[in-house]
Amino acid sequence: MSDVSGGYTANAEEVRRAAELINKIAAMSGSIVADFADGAAATSGWEGDDDYGKSLRPNLEAERTSTLDTGRAVAKAIEAASHGSLENARNILQTQDANLGAIHQAQNDTVSTTTRH
């Protein structure tokens, strides 16, 4: 993230913790969808077998399917955000490690060059 001076700072640990929290939210979302599916299945047939009930059934099934599909898609999107955040944390750490390694290497190169003269 950008700080007030316009510089870039990153805290991989905070990003990782946030990703874990997002992952928990994704799991809760999946549970909510599963609970809805169980509840919908438990109430299936409430419309009855008369002509009016039979006329309602296609719309009820379509709504139930649409709601379940939407809920599953939202849960997957939240999970994808978590995975993306974890990848971001890994990228931050790799970049930091590579940059620190380059700094240390440059320092070692400078010391080696200085001691030869």
Side-chain angles (χ1 to χ4, degrees):
M1 69 183 62
S2 181
D3 62 16
V4 291
S5 68
Y8 179 80
T9 60
N11 185 327
E13 184 58 28
E14 285 182 24
V15 173
R16 186 194 58 74
R17 278 196 307 268
E20 288 174 355
L21 181 58
I22 294 169
N23 200 39
K24 287 178 184 177
I25 293 169
M28 288 187 304
S29 299
S31 293
I32 291 168
V33 173
D35 288 348
F36 174 81
D38 291 345
T43 61
S44 180
W46 69 265
E47 66 278 6
D49 286 328
D50 62 3
D51 289 341
Y52 181 68
K54 289 178 183 177
S55 72
L56 292 176
R57 195 166 296 133
N59 287 338
L60 292 172
E61 289 175 5
E63 286 296 321
R64 183 174 22 243
T65 298
S66 175
T67 301
L68 287 170
D69 289 348
T70 300
R72 289 180 186 124
V74 168
K76 282 186 175 193
I78 295 169
E79 185 178 359
S82 171
H83 290 302
S85 296
L86 283 172
E87 284 301 313
N88 188 25
R90 284 187 199 104
N91 185 41
I92 290 167
L93 288 173
Q94 287 173 347
T95 301
Q96 287 174 343
D97 289 345
N99 289 338
L100 288 173
I103 290 168
H104 292 305
Q105 184 62 45
Q107 287 173 338
N108 289 340
D109 291 348
T110 301
V111 169
S112 296
T113 305
T114 310
T115 56
R116 284 190 225 158
H117 293 286

